[in-house]
Short mmCIF file of all heavy atoms in Angstrom, two decimals:
data_model
loop_
_atom_site.label_atom_id
_atom_site.label_comp_id
_atom_site.label_asym_id
_atom_site.label_seq_id
_atom_site.Cartn_x
_atom_site.Cartn_y
_atom_site.Cartn_z
N LEU A 29 5.43 -1.73 -26.26
CA LEU A 29 6.84 -2.11 -26.15
C LEU A 29 7.74 -1.23 -27.01
O LEU A 29 8.91 -1.02 -26.69
CB LEU A 29 7.03 -3.59 -26.53
CG LEU A 29 6.45 -4.58 -25.52
CD1 LEU A 29 6.55 -6.00 -26.06
CD2 LEU A 29 7.14 -4.46 -24.17
N ASP A 30 7.20 -0.69 -28.10
CA ASP A 30 8.00 0.17 -28.97
C ASP A 30 8.01 1.63 -28.49
O ASP A 30 8.56 2.51 -29.15
CB ASP A 30 7.54 0.09 -30.42
CG ASP A 30 6.12 0.61 -30.64
OD1 ASP A 30 5.51 1.16 -29.68
OD2 ASP A 30 5.60 0.45 -31.76
N GLY A 31 7.39 1.90 -27.32
CA GLY A 31 7.43 3.24 -26.74
C GLY A 31 6.23 4.11 -27.01
O GLY A 31 6.07 5.15 -26.38
N ARG A 32 5.38 3.72 -27.96
CA ARG A 32 4.19 4.53 -28.25
C ARG A 32 3.22 4.48 -27.08
O ARG A 32 2.98 3.42 -26.52
CB ARG A 32 3.45 3.98 -29.48
CG ARG A 32 4.14 4.14 -30.80
CD ARG A 32 3.34 3.49 -31.93
NE ARG A 32 3.27 2.04 -31.72
CZ ARG A 32 2.13 1.33 -31.63
NH1 ARG A 32 0.97 1.93 -31.73
NH2 ARG A 32 2.17 0.03 -31.44
N PRO A 33 2.66 5.64 -26.71
CA PRO A 33 1.64 5.61 -25.65
C PRO A 33 0.36 4.95 -26.16
O PRO A 33 0.07 5.00 -27.35
CB PRO A 33 1.40 7.07 -25.32
CG PRO A 33 1.93 7.84 -26.47
CD PRO A 33 2.94 6.99 -27.17
N PHE A 34 -0.36 4.33 -25.25
CA PHE A 34 -1.65 3.74 -25.62
C PHE A 34 -2.59 4.86 -26.04
O PHE A 34 -2.54 5.97 -25.51
CB PHE A 34 -2.27 3.00 -24.44
CG PHE A 34 -1.78 1.59 -24.25
CD1 PHE A 34 -0.62 1.13 -24.82
CD2 PHE A 34 -2.51 0.72 -23.46
CE1 PHE A 34 -0.19 -0.17 -24.63
CE2 PHE A 34 -2.09 -0.58 -23.26
CZ PHE A 34 -0.93 -1.04 -23.85
N THR A 35 -3.46 4.54 -26.97
CA THR A 35 -4.52 5.47 -27.32
C THR A 35 -5.53 5.47 -26.17
O THR A 35 -5.47 4.62 -25.27
CB THR A 35 -5.24 5.02 -28.62
OG1 THR A 35 -5.86 3.76 -28.37
CG2 THR A 35 -4.27 4.93 -29.79
N LYS A 36 -6.46 6.40 -26.20
CA LYS A 36 -7.50 6.43 -25.17
C LYS A 36 -8.28 5.13 -25.15
O LYS A 36 -8.62 4.62 -24.08
CB LYS A 36 -8.46 7.61 -25.41
CG LYS A 36 -7.85 8.95 -25.11
CD LYS A 36 -8.85 10.06 -25.36
CE LYS A 36 -8.20 11.40 -25.13
NZ LYS A 36 -9.10 12.51 -25.39
N GLU A 37 -8.55 4.57 -26.32
CA GLU A 37 -9.29 3.31 -26.40
C GLU A 37 -8.48 2.16 -25.80
O GLU A 37 -9.01 1.32 -25.07
CB GLU A 37 -9.66 2.99 -27.86
CG GLU A 37 -10.64 3.97 -28.49
CD GLU A 37 -9.98 5.27 -28.96
OE1 GLU A 37 -8.73 5.33 -29.06
OE2 GLU A 37 -10.72 6.24 -29.20
N GLU A 38 -7.17 2.12 -26.12
CA GLU A 38 -6.31 1.07 -25.58
C GLU A 38 -6.17 1.21 -24.06
O GLU A 38 -6.18 0.22 -23.33
CB GLU A 38 -4.93 1.11 -26.25
CG GLU A 38 -4.96 0.67 -27.70
CD GLU A 38 -3.64 0.94 -28.41
OE1 GLU A 38 -2.95 1.93 -28.07
OE2 GLU A 38 -3.31 0.15 -29.32
N GLN A 39 -6.04 2.45 -23.61
CA GLN A 39 -5.94 2.71 -22.18
C GLN A 39 -7.19 2.22 -21.46
O GLN A 39 -7.12 1.56 -20.42
CB GLN A 39 -5.75 4.21 -21.93
CG GLN A 39 -5.51 4.61 -20.50
CD GLN A 39 -4.11 4.36 -20.02
OE1 GLN A 39 -3.17 4.42 -20.79
NE2 GLN A 39 -3.97 4.07 -18.75
N ALA A 40 -8.36 2.52 -22.02
CA ALA A 40 -9.62 2.08 -21.42
C ALA A 40 -9.70 0.55 -21.40
O ALA A 40 -10.16 -0.04 -20.42
CB ALA A 40 -10.80 2.68 -22.18
N LEU A 41 -9.27 -0.07 -22.47
CA LEU A 41 -9.28 -1.53 -22.55
C LEU A 41 -8.34 -2.14 -21.52
O LEU A 41 -8.70 -3.10 -20.82
CB LEU A 41 -8.88 -1.97 -23.97
CG LEU A 41 -9.18 -3.40 -24.36
CD1 LEU A 41 -10.66 -3.71 -24.25
CD2 LEU A 41 -8.69 -3.64 -25.79
N ALA A 42 -7.16 -1.57 -21.38
CA ALA A 42 -6.20 -2.08 -20.39
C ALA A 42 -6.74 -1.91 -18.98
O ALA A 42 -6.49 -2.75 -18.11
CB ALA A 42 -4.86 -1.37 -20.54
N ASN A 43 -7.46 -0.85 -18.74
CA ASN A 43 -8.04 -0.62 -17.42
C ASN A 43 -9.11 -1.65 -17.08
O ASN A 43 -9.44 -1.83 -15.91
CB ASN A 43 -8.61 0.79 -17.32
CG ASN A 43 -7.53 1.83 -17.21
OD1 ASN A 43 -6.43 1.56 -16.73
ND2 ASN A 43 -7.83 3.04 -17.65
N GLU A 44 -9.65 -2.32 -18.08
CA GLU A 44 -10.66 -3.37 -17.86
C GLU A 44 -10.04 -4.73 -17.59
O GLU A 44 -10.73 -5.67 -17.23
CB GLU A 44 -11.58 -3.49 -19.08
CG GLU A 44 -12.45 -2.28 -19.34
CD GLU A 44 -13.27 -2.44 -20.61
OE1 GLU A 44 -13.35 -3.57 -21.15
OE2 GLU A 44 -13.82 -1.43 -21.06
N ALA A 45 -8.72 -4.84 -17.76
CA ALA A 45 -8.05 -6.13 -17.59
C ALA A 45 -8.17 -6.60 -16.14
O ALA A 45 -8.10 -5.81 -15.20
CB ALA A 45 -6.58 -6.02 -17.98
N THR A 46 -8.34 -7.90 -15.99
CA THR A 46 -8.43 -8.50 -14.66
C THR A 46 -7.03 -8.78 -14.12
O THR A 46 -6.05 -8.79 -14.87
CB THR A 46 -9.22 -9.81 -14.70
OG1 THR A 46 -8.49 -10.76 -15.49
CG2 THR A 46 -10.62 -9.61 -15.28
N LEU A 47 -6.96 -9.03 -12.84
CA LEU A 47 -5.69 -9.39 -12.22
C LEU A 47 -5.12 -10.64 -12.88
O LEU A 47 -3.92 -10.72 -13.16
CB LEU A 47 -5.88 -9.62 -10.72
CG LEU A 47 -4.64 -10.06 -9.94
CD1 LEU A 47 -3.53 -9.02 -10.04
CD2 LEU A 47 -5.00 -10.32 -8.49
N GLU A 48 -5.98 -11.62 -13.18
CA GLU A 48 -5.53 -12.85 -13.83
C GLU A 48 -4.92 -12.57 -15.20
O GLU A 48 -3.92 -13.16 -15.58
CB GLU A 48 -6.68 -13.85 -13.96
CG GLU A 48 -7.15 -14.45 -12.66
CD GLU A 48 -8.18 -13.59 -11.93
OE1 GLU A 48 -8.62 -12.56 -12.49
OE2 GLU A 48 -8.53 -13.94 -10.80
N GLU A 49 -5.53 -11.63 -15.94
CA GLU A 49 -5.00 -11.28 -17.26
C GLU A 49 -3.64 -10.59 -17.14
O GLU A 49 -2.71 -10.91 -17.89
CB GLU A 49 -6.01 -10.42 -18.02
CG GLU A 49 -7.21 -11.23 -18.46
CD GLU A 49 -8.37 -10.40 -18.96
OE1 GLU A 49 -8.56 -9.26 -18.49
OE2 GLU A 49 -9.11 -10.90 -19.84
N PHE A 50 -3.52 -9.68 -16.18
CA PHE A 50 -2.22 -9.04 -15.97
C PHE A 50 -1.17 -10.06 -15.58
O PHE A 50 -0.05 -10.06 -16.10
CB PHE A 50 -2.31 -7.95 -14.89
CG PHE A 50 -2.70 -6.59 -15.40
CD1 PHE A 50 -3.95 -6.08 -15.12
CD2 PHE A 50 -1.82 -5.84 -16.14
CE1 PHE A 50 -4.31 -4.82 -15.57
CE2 PHE A 50 -2.17 -4.58 -16.60
CZ PHE A 50 -3.42 -4.07 -16.31
N GLN A 51 -1.51 -10.96 -14.68
CA GLN A 51 -0.55 -11.96 -14.23
C GLN A 51 -0.17 -12.91 -15.36
O GLN A 51 1.00 -13.28 -15.50
CB GLN A 51 -1.10 -12.73 -13.03
CG GLN A 51 -1.14 -11.87 -11.79
CD GLN A 51 -1.84 -12.55 -10.63
OE1 GLN A 51 -2.72 -13.39 -10.80
NE2 GLN A 51 -1.45 -12.17 -9.42
N THR A 52 -1.13 -13.31 -16.17
CA THR A 52 -0.85 -14.19 -17.30
C THR A 52 0.07 -13.51 -18.30
O THR A 52 0.94 -14.15 -18.90
CB THR A 52 -2.16 -14.63 -17.99
OG1 THR A 52 -2.97 -15.30 -17.02
CG2 THR A 52 -1.90 -15.55 -19.16
N ALA A 53 -0.08 -12.19 -18.46
CA ALA A 53 0.78 -11.44 -19.37
C ALA A 53 2.17 -11.23 -18.77
O ALA A 53 3.05 -10.70 -19.43
CB ALA A 53 0.15 -10.10 -19.70
N GLY A 54 2.36 -11.65 -17.55
CA GLY A 54 3.67 -11.53 -16.92
C GLY A 54 3.93 -10.19 -16.27
O GLY A 54 5.07 -9.82 -16.06
N ALA A 55 2.88 -9.48 -15.95
CA ALA A 55 3.04 -8.16 -15.36
C ALA A 55 3.50 -8.27 -13.92
O ALA A 55 3.05 -9.13 -13.18
CB ALA A 55 1.72 -7.39 -15.41
N GLU A 56 4.40 -7.39 -13.55
CA GLU A 56 4.77 -7.24 -12.15
C GLU A 56 3.80 -6.22 -11.57
O GLU A 56 3.94 -5.03 -11.79
CB GLU A 56 6.19 -6.72 -12.01
CG GLU A 56 7.23 -7.80 -11.99
CD GLU A 56 8.58 -7.22 -11.59
OE1 GLU A 56 8.66 -6.49 -10.59
OE2 GLU A 56 9.53 -7.51 -12.31
N ILE A 57 2.80 -6.73 -10.88
CA ILE A 57 1.77 -5.84 -10.33
C ILE A 57 2.37 -4.98 -9.22
O ILE A 57 2.07 -3.83 -9.08
CB ILE A 57 0.58 -6.65 -9.80
CG1 ILE A 57 -0.02 -7.51 -10.91
CG2 ILE A 57 -0.48 -5.75 -9.20
CD1 ILE A 57 -0.52 -6.76 -12.11
N HIS A 58 3.26 -5.56 -8.42
CA HIS A 58 3.87 -4.83 -7.32
C HIS A 58 5.27 -4.39 -7.74
O HIS A 58 6.18 -5.19 -7.83
CB HIS A 58 3.92 -5.70 -6.07
CG HIS A 58 2.57 -6.14 -5.62
ND1 HIS A 58 1.67 -5.27 -5.05
CD2 HIS A 58 1.95 -7.33 -5.69
CE1 HIS A 58 0.57 -5.92 -4.78
NE2 HIS A 58 0.71 -7.17 -5.15
N THR A 59 5.42 -3.13 -8.01
CA THR A 59 6.69 -2.57 -8.43
C THR A 59 7.27 -1.76 -7.27
O THR A 59 6.63 -1.60 -6.23
CB THR A 59 6.51 -1.66 -9.65
OG1 THR A 59 5.70 -0.55 -9.25
CG2 THR A 59 5.87 -2.39 -10.81
N ALA A 60 8.44 -1.22 -7.46
CA ALA A 60 9.04 -0.37 -6.43
C ALA A 60 8.14 0.84 -6.14
O ALA A 60 8.01 1.26 -4.99
CB ALA A 60 10.42 0.09 -6.87
N VAL A 61 7.50 1.37 -7.17
CA VAL A 61 6.62 2.52 -6.98
C VAL A 61 5.39 2.13 -6.17
O VAL A 61 5.02 2.83 -5.22
CB VAL A 61 6.20 3.13 -8.34
CG1 VAL A 61 5.15 4.20 -8.16
CG2 VAL A 61 7.42 3.68 -9.06
N THR A 62 4.76 1.01 -6.51
CA THR A 62 3.58 0.60 -5.74
C THR A 62 3.97 0.24 -4.31
O THR A 62 3.21 0.49 -3.38
CB THR A 62 2.84 -0.57 -6.40
OG1 THR A 62 3.72 -1.68 -6.54
CG2 THR A 62 2.28 -0.18 -7.75
N GLN A 63 5.16 -0.33 -4.12
CA GLN A 63 5.62 -0.64 -2.77
C GLN A 63 5.85 0.64 -1.97
O GLN A 63 5.51 0.73 -0.79
CB GLN A 63 6.90 -1.47 -2.80
CG GLN A 63 7.33 -1.96 -1.44
CD GLN A 63 6.30 -2.87 -0.80
OE1 GLN A 63 5.88 -3.85 -1.39
NE2 GLN A 63 5.88 -2.54 0.40
N GLU A 64 6.41 1.65 -2.63
CA GLU A 64 6.63 2.94 -1.96
C GLU A 64 5.31 3.57 -1.55
O GLU A 64 5.18 4.11 -0.44
CB GLU A 64 7.40 3.87 -2.90
CG GLU A 64 7.78 5.19 -2.29
CD GLU A 64 8.58 6.05 -3.26
OE1 GLU A 64 9.45 5.53 -3.97
OE2 GLU A 64 8.30 7.26 -3.30
N ILE A 65 4.32 3.50 -2.42
CA ILE A 65 2.99 4.04 -2.10
C ILE A 65 2.38 3.28 -0.93
O ILE A 65 1.81 3.89 -0.01
CB ILE A 65 2.08 4.00 -3.34
CG1 ILE A 65 2.59 4.99 -4.39
CG2 ILE A 65 0.63 4.30 -2.98
CD1 ILE A 65 1.95 4.82 -5.76
N ALA A 66 2.49 1.95 -0.94
CA ALA A 66 1.94 1.14 0.15
C ALA A 66 2.66 1.44 1.46
O ALA A 66 2.03 1.55 2.51
CB ALA A 66 2.05 -0.34 -0.20
N ASP A 67 3.99 1.57 1.41
CA ASP A 67 4.75 1.89 2.61
C ASP A 67 4.34 3.24 3.18
O ASP A 67 4.19 3.40 4.39
CB ASP A 67 6.26 1.89 2.32
CG ASP A 67 6.81 0.51 2.05
OD1 ASP A 67 6.13 -0.49 2.36
OD2 ASP A 67 7.95 0.43 1.52
N GLN A 68 4.15 4.22 2.30
CA GLN A 68 3.75 5.56 2.76
C GLN A 68 2.36 5.51 3.38
O GLN A 68 2.11 6.16 4.40
CB GLN A 68 3.80 6.57 1.61
CG GLN A 68 3.52 8.00 2.06
CD GLN A 68 4.52 8.49 3.09
OE1 GLN A 68 5.72 8.38 2.90
NE2 GLN A 68 4.03 9.02 4.20
N ALA A 69 1.45 4.76 2.79
CA ALA A 69 0.10 4.63 3.34
C ALA A 69 0.15 4.01 4.74
O ALA A 69 -0.56 4.45 5.65
CB ALA A 69 -0.78 3.80 2.41
N LEU A 70 0.99 3.00 4.92
CA LEU A 70 1.13 2.37 6.22
C LEU A 70 1.72 3.36 7.23
O LEU A 70 1.23 3.47 8.36
CB LEU A 70 2.01 1.13 6.13
CG LEU A 70 2.23 0.37 7.43
CD1 LEU A 70 0.91 -0.09 8.03
CD2 LEU A 70 3.14 -0.83 7.19
N ASN A 71 2.73 4.10 6.83
CA ASN A 71 3.31 5.12 7.72
C ASN A 71 2.29 6.18 8.10
O ASN A 71 2.21 6.60 9.25
CB ASN A 71 4.54 5.76 7.08
CG ASN A 71 5.72 4.84 7.04
OD1 ASN A 71 5.85 3.92 7.84
ND2 ASN A 71 6.61 5.06 6.09
N ASP A 72 1.49 6.62 7.13
CA ASP A 72 0.45 7.61 7.40
C ASP A 72 -0.59 7.07 8.37
O ASP A 72 -1.05 7.78 9.27
CB ASP A 72 -0.22 8.07 6.10
CG ASP A 72 0.71 8.88 5.21
OD1 ASP A 72 1.80 9.29 5.67
OD2 ASP A 72 0.35 9.07 4.02
N ALA A 73 -0.96 5.80 8.20
CA ALA A 73 -1.93 5.17 9.10
C ALA A 73 -1.36 5.08 10.52
O ALA A 73 -2.06 5.35 11.50
CB ALA A 73 -2.31 3.78 8.59
N LEU A 74 -0.08 4.73 10.63
CA LEU A 74 0.55 4.65 11.95
C LEU A 74 0.61 6.02 12.60
O LEU A 74 0.35 6.15 13.81
CB LEU A 74 1.95 4.05 11.83
CG LEU A 74 1.99 2.57 11.49
CD1 LEU A 74 3.43 2.11 11.23
CD2 LEU A 74 1.35 1.73 12.57
N ASP A 75 0.93 7.05 11.83
CA ASP A 75 0.96 8.41 12.38
C ASP A 75 -0.42 8.81 12.89
O ASP A 75 -0.55 9.42 13.95
CB ASP A 75 1.43 9.42 11.33
CG ASP A 75 2.92 9.31 11.04
OD1 ASP A 75 3.65 8.69 11.85
OD2 ASP A 75 3.35 9.83 9.99
N LEU A 76 -1.44 8.46 12.13
CA LEU A 76 -2.81 8.79 12.53
C LEU A 76 -3.18 8.06 13.83
O LEU A 76 -3.69 8.67 14.77
CB LEU A 76 -3.78 8.40 11.41
CG LEU A 76 -5.25 8.67 11.67
CD1 LEU A 76 -5.50 10.18 11.78
CD2 LEU A 76 -6.09 8.08 10.55
N LEU A 77 -2.90 6.77 13.89
CA LEU A 77 -3.23 6.01 15.10
C LEU A 77 -2.39 6.45 16.29
O LEU A 77 -2.89 6.49 17.43
CB LEU A 77 -3.03 4.52 14.84
CG LEU A 77 -4.02 3.90 13.86
CD1 LEU A 77 -3.64 2.45 13.56
CD2 LEU A 77 -5.44 3.99 14.38
N ARG A 78 -1.15 6.79 16.05
CA ARG A 78 -0.26 7.24 17.14
C ARG A 78 -0.83 8.47 17.83
O ARG A 78 -0.76 8.59 19.05
CB ARG A 78 1.13 7.54 16.57
CG ARG A 78 2.16 7.84 17.64
CD ARG A 78 3.55 8.09 17.05
NE ARG A 78 4.05 6.93 16.34
CZ ARG A 78 4.35 6.90 15.05
NH1 ARG A 78 4.21 7.97 14.31
NH2 ARG A 78 4.79 5.81 14.48
N LYS A 79 -1.44 9.35 17.06
CA LYS A 79 -2.02 10.56 17.62
C LYS A 79 -3.11 10.21 18.64
O LYS A 79 -3.16 10.77 19.74
CB LYS A 79 -2.59 11.41 16.48
CG LYS A 79 -3.28 12.68 16.93
CD LYS A 79 -3.68 13.56 15.75
CE LYS A 79 -4.63 12.87 14.81
NZ LYS A 79 -5.13 13.74 13.75
N TYR A 80 -3.97 9.24 18.30
CA TYR A 80 -5.05 8.86 19.20
C TYR A 80 -4.54 8.04 20.38
O TYR A 80 -5.00 8.18 21.50
CB TYR A 80 -6.14 8.10 18.45
CG TYR A 80 -6.86 9.01 17.49
CD1 TYR A 80 -6.54 9.04 16.14
CD2 TYR A 80 -7.84 9.88 17.95
CE1 TYR A 80 -7.19 9.89 15.27
CE2 TYR A 80 -8.49 10.75 17.09
CZ TYR A 80 -8.16 10.74 15.75
OH TYR A 80 -8.81 11.60 14.90
N PHE A 81 -3.56 7.18 20.12
CA PHE A 81 -2.99 6.37 21.19
C PHE A 81 -2.31 7.27 22.22
O PHE A 81 -2.42 7.05 23.43
CB PHE A 81 -1.99 5.35 20.63
CG PHE A 81 -1.36 4.50 21.69
CD1 PHE A 81 -2.08 3.46 22.26
CD2 PHE A 81 -0.08 4.74 22.13
CE1 PHE A 81 -1.52 2.67 23.25
CE2 PHE A 81 0.50 3.96 23.11
CZ PHE A 81 -0.23 2.92 23.68
N ALA A 82 -1.61 8.29 21.77
CA ALA A 82 -0.93 9.20 22.68
C ALA A 82 -1.91 9.93 23.58
O ALA A 82 -1.62 10.21 24.74
CB ALA A 82 -0.08 10.19 21.90
N GLN A 83 -3.10 10.22 23.08
CA GLN A 83 -4.10 10.92 23.88
C GLN A 83 -4.75 10.01 24.91
O GLN A 83 -5.12 10.46 25.98
CB GLN A 83 -5.19 11.50 22.97
CG GLN A 83 -4.72 12.64 22.12
CD GLN A 83 -5.81 13.14 21.18
OE1 GLN A 83 -6.96 12.74 21.26
NE2 GLN A 83 -5.43 14.02 20.27
N ASN A 84 -4.91 8.73 24.58
CA ASN A 84 -5.63 7.83 25.47
C ASN A 84 -5.12 6.39 25.33
O ASN A 84 -5.82 5.53 24.80
CB ASN A 84 -7.13 7.90 25.16
CG ASN A 84 -7.96 7.28 26.26
OD1 ASN A 84 -7.44 6.83 27.27
ND2 ASN A 84 -9.26 7.23 26.04
N PRO A 85 -3.93 6.09 25.84
CA PRO A 85 -3.38 4.75 25.68
C PRO A 85 -4.19 3.67 26.42
O PRO A 85 -4.14 2.50 26.05
CB PRO A 85 -1.96 4.86 26.24
CG PRO A 85 -1.96 6.08 27.09
CD PRO A 85 -3.01 6.99 26.53
N GLU A 86 -4.94 4.06 27.43
CA GLU A 86 -5.71 3.08 28.19
C GLU A 86 -6.73 2.34 27.34
O GLU A 86 -7.16 1.24 27.67
CB GLU A 86 -6.42 3.75 29.38
CG GLU A 86 -5.49 4.30 30.44
CD GLU A 86 -4.93 5.66 30.09
OE1 GLU A 86 -5.50 6.38 29.24
OE2 GLU A 86 -3.88 6.02 30.66
N VAL A 87 -7.13 2.94 26.23
CA VAL A 87 -8.09 2.30 25.33
C VAL A 87 -7.45 1.10 24.63
O VAL A 87 -8.10 0.09 24.39
CB VAL A 87 -8.62 3.32 24.29
CG1 VAL A 87 -9.46 2.64 23.24
CG2 VAL A 87 -9.38 4.42 24.98
N VAL A 88 -6.17 1.18 24.33
CA VAL A 88 -5.47 0.15 23.57
C VAL A 88 -4.85 -0.91 24.47
O VAL A 88 -4.81 -2.09 24.12
CB VAL A 88 -4.39 0.79 22.66
CG1 VAL A 88 -3.62 -0.27 21.91
CG2 VAL A 88 -5.02 1.78 21.71
#
Side-chain angles (χ1 to χ4, degrees):
L29 290 174
D30 64 6
R32 291 177 296 123
F34 276 17
T35 63
K36 289 180 183 178
E37 295 79 15
E38 290 170 329
Q39 185 79 30
L41 195 59
N43 287 333
E44 294 177 13
T46 65
L47 178 60
E48 291 85 5
E49 288 168 329
F50 272 108
Q51 289 173 332
T52 301
E56 272 190 49
I57 302 301
H58 300 288
T59 64
V61 172
T62 59
Q63 187 62 53
E64 184 178 319
I65 292 168
D67 290 345
Q68 185 60 50
L70 180 59
N71 288 334
D72 291 348
L74 290 173
D75 287 344
L76 180 65
L77 292 174
R78 187 178 298 118
K79 178 174 60 174
Y80 291 98
F81 180 77
Q83 290 177 9
N84 194 3
E86 295 81 20
V87 172
V88 178

